[in-house]
């Protein structure tokens, strides 16, 4: 009897390639659909792509590519996406929303026997997040406006009395208030996934990872504190972080995220549900930078520049109780994340040059301001 075949879109990328490795290790037949396009890739096949996987160069925006990729497939992990913050806004809907519609369209029209679809979403759908004011209670924060950020008033405050509010971990049942094109289209893709899945009895699951870290994270992308901090530390440059460095994040290891994907794939209780995936605790960017410097033996001192990214949340935190109720738990530490990435990125001497180009592009486009 043949092992089930699994399709992983974006399987040549950061999280996708680790998922491919794990699936192959478990004995699944794996097919990758990836177009190897910029900015994540440079058009060539990364050296980490598992040779035991069937590779199909194609585009999730093209129906015919979906038709070919879904042939004889039992499970689908749809990880391919357009990420970060770029000014070609239409590409977000084309890649992140249209692709989901095409996936279900091909399955339904061709009566394919797909056992489950798992869609990658993002914590970005939560936007600025949920906060609590001691006097006025819980509220969903609006994006901090340009004037507030230009005045270097970084904290989220209660809209009623202006008092600094307390960040609350996001629950899957909370309102989603995305504030960048990536998050907006991810929220739409979630709705499409669960609605079409339930309508046509295609078991479907949405995964919302927090900030994923580990080896193979693209050196060309805008996002990624670990990438930014590690490259600077290894090149002897000071870490200069945005705002005041006191915003907090939930950083999760890529292998813990892969474990979550594998769990929901085989668990019926996960069907038609959304799951946060994080480590369940937060660390400030300043403290995280210091940890990177300690592990890399850098003598530099992390500093904050007062620069800011438009529509970027001050802080983020995730409640992961729902996924843990299925038996999953994070096993890796922040130190594991850093060591894995540092060891990997040292093999890419062009990383610092790629970082410079990314930084200059952000400034030129007005995404990064001061």
């Amino acid at each position: 009897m043949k092992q089930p075949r699994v399709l992983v879109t974006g399987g040549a990328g950061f999280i996708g390639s680790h998922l491919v490795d794990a699936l192959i290790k478990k004995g699944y037949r794996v097919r990758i659909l990836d177009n190897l396009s910029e900015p994540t890739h440079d058009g060539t096949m990364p050296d980490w792509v598992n040779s035991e996987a069937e590779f199909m160069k194609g585009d999730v925006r093209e129906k015919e590519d979906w038709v070919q990729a879904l042939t004889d497939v039992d499970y689908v992990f749809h990880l391919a996406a357009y990420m970060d913050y770029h000014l070609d806004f239409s590409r977000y809907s084309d890649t992140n929303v249209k692709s989901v519609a095409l996936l279900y369209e091909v399955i339904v029209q061709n009566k394919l026997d797909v056992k489950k679809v798992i869609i990658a979403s993002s914590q970005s759908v939560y936007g600025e997040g949920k906060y609590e004011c001691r006097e006025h209670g819980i509220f969903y924060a609006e994006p901090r406006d340009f004037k507030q950020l230009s005045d270097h008033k970084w904290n989220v405050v209660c809209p009623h009395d202006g008092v600094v509010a307390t960040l609350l971990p996001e629950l899957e049942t909370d309102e989603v208030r995305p504030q960048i094109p990536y998050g907006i289209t991810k929220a739409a893709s979630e709705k499409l996934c669960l609605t079409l899945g339930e309508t046509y009895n295609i078991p479907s699951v949405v995964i919302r990872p927090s900030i994923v870290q580990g080896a193979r994270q693209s050196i060309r992308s805008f996002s990624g504190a670990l990438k930014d901090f590690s490259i600077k530390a290894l090149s002897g440059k000071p870490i200069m972080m945005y705002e005041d460095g006191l915003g907090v994040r939930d950083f999760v290891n890529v292998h813990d995220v892969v474990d979550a994907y594998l769990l929901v794939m085989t668990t019926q209780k996960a069907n038609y549900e959304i799951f946060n995936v994080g480590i369940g605790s937060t660390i400030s960017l300043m403290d995280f930078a210091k940890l990177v410097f300690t592990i890399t033996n850098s003598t530099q001192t992390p500093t904050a520049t007062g620069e800011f990214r438009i529509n970027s949340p001050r802080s983020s935190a995730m409640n992961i109780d729902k996924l843990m109720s299925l038996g999953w738990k994070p096993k890796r530490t922040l130190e594991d994340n850093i060591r894995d990435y540092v060891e990997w990125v040292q093999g890419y001497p062009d990383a610092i040059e790629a970082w410079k180009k990314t930084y200059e592009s952000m400034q030129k486009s007005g995404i990064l301001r001061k």
Side-chain angles (χ1 to χ4, degrees):
M1 182 177 177
K2 287 184 178 181
Q3 289 293 327
R5 188 188 302 279
V6 183
L7 172 65
V8 181
T9 72
F14 168 37
I15 302 173
S17 65
H18 285 291
L19 176 59
V20 167
D21 289 344
L23 288 165
I24 288 174
K25 189 174 181 179
K26 285 186 171 292
Y28 292 101
R29 295 178 295 155
V30 179
R31 176 181 294 150
I32 296 170
L33 176 65
D34 202 304
N35 65 0
L36 303 178
S37 67
E38 295 181 343
T40 301
H41 301 287
D42 62 1
T44 61
M45 180 78 79
D47 56 13
W48 56 75
V49 174
N50 198 309
S51 61
E52 294 183 39
E54 174 192 355
F55 182 81
M56 180 180 295
K57 188 171 184 180
D59 197 317
V60 295
R61 297 170 292 183
E62 299 296 333
K63 185 173 183 177
E64 186 54 42
D65 290 346
W66 274 113
V67 171
Q68 294 183 37
L70 285 167
T71 301
D72 192 30
V73 161
D74 299 285
Y75 297 92
V76 179
F77 287 95
H78 184 28
L79 275 62
Y82 191 44
M83 300 175 289
D84 296 328
Y85 196 114
H86 303 279
L87 300 185
D88 48 349
F89 307 129
S90 61
R91 186 173 172 184
Y92 287 96
S93 58
D94 208 24
T95 307
N96 301 343
V97 183
K98 178 184 175 183
S99 66
V100 175
L102 286 173
L103 163 59
Y104 284 91
E105 186 175 301
V106 171
I107 293 173
V108 172
Q109 289 181 352
N110 293 281
K111 298 181 173 59
L112 301 180
D113 187 24
V114 173
K115 295 178 176 61
K116 187 174 288 190
V117 172
I118 301 99
I119 298 285
S121 186
S122 165
Q123 68 164 13
S124 181
V125 300
Y126 292 120
E128 194 68 67
K130 185 174 64 175
Y131 284 78
E132 184 172 24
C133 171
R134 182 177 296 180
E135 180 68 23
H136 298 96
I138 295 173
F139 65 96
Y140 291 94
E142 295 295 329
R144 295 168 296 160
D145 61 34
F146 182 72
K147 184 180 187 310
Q148 177 183 348
L149 295 172
S150 297
D151 291 341
H152 290 189
K153 295 178 180 178
W154 310 120
N155 290 315
V156 172
V157 299
C158 174
H160 301 291
D161 57 19
V163 173
V164 175
T166 301
L167 176 71
L168 297 178
E170 294 285 359
L171 293 162
E172 292 88 346
T173 52
D174 286 341
E175 291 183 22
V176 293
R177 296 194 172 192
Q179 55 196 46
I180 60 173
Y182 173 63
I184 292 166
T185 53
K186 276 300 180 182
S189 73
E190 289 185 2
K191 187 67 174 175
L192 262 179
C193 164
L194 295 179
T195 300
L196 293 175
E198 289 189 278
T199 301
Y200 295 99
N201 297 313
I202 305 165
S204 301
V205 186
V206 170
I207 292 291
R208 287 178 184 163
S210 62
I211 300 174
V212 187
Q213 297 183 328
R216 305 178 188 171
Q217 185 176 13
S218 175
I219 60 176
R220 301 174 184 86
S221 63
F222 282 3
S223 59
L226 177 56
K227 174 203 70 175
D228 186 60
F229 295 172
S230 298
I231 290 172
K232 289 175 182 174
L234 291 170
S235 59
K237 299 181 181 298
I239 291 179
M240 296 178 292
M241 64 201 69
Y242 306 144
E243 300 187 8
D244 59 359
L246 299 182
V248 302
R249 298 288 188 272
D250 179 322
F251 296 117
V252 63
N253 189 283
V254 64
H255 297 294
D256 285 330
V257 175
V258 168
D259 287 346
Y261 276 123
L262 296 177
L263 176 63
V264 302
M265 173 187 176
T266 56
T267 304
Q268 286 192 350
K269 287 183 179 179
N271 294 355
Y272 310 111
E273 297 288 347
I274 298 172
F275 294 94
N276 288 339
V277 184
I279 200 170
S281 61
T282 59
I283 185 173
S284 73
L285 290 169
M286 182 66 74
D287 286 342
F288 184 68
K290 291 176 181 176
L291 194 56
V292 171
F293 267 46
T294 298
I295 290 175
T296 57
N297 297 314
S298 174
T299 58
Q300 298 286 341
T301 302
T303 58
T305 64
E307 290 177 298
F308 58 89
R309 289 176 60 174
I310 59 173
N311 288 344
S312 181
R314 166 66 166 170
S315 295
S316 57
M318 275 191 161
N319 181 303
I320 57 173
D321 290 348
K322 185 176 179 180
L323 185 60
M324 290 182 68
S325 72
L326 296 183
W328 174 92
K329 65 177 181 179
K331 301 173 184 176
R332 287 83 177 180
T333 66
L334 290 176
E335 289 83 358
D336 293 331
N337 301 0
I338 296 167
R339 290 192 180 97
D340 288 350
Y341 187 77
V342 167
E343 181 181 356
W344 174 79
V345 81
Q346 284 177 314
Y348 291 83
D350 57 338
I352 186 65
E353 208 50 48
W355 172 83
K356 285 181 181 177
K357 290 180 180 178
T358 297
Y359 182 75
E360 290 168 0
S361 174
M362 290 172 69
Q363 286 186 314
K364 185 177 180 180
S365 64
I367 294 169
L368 184 62
R369 305 180 186 182
K370 191 169 184 176

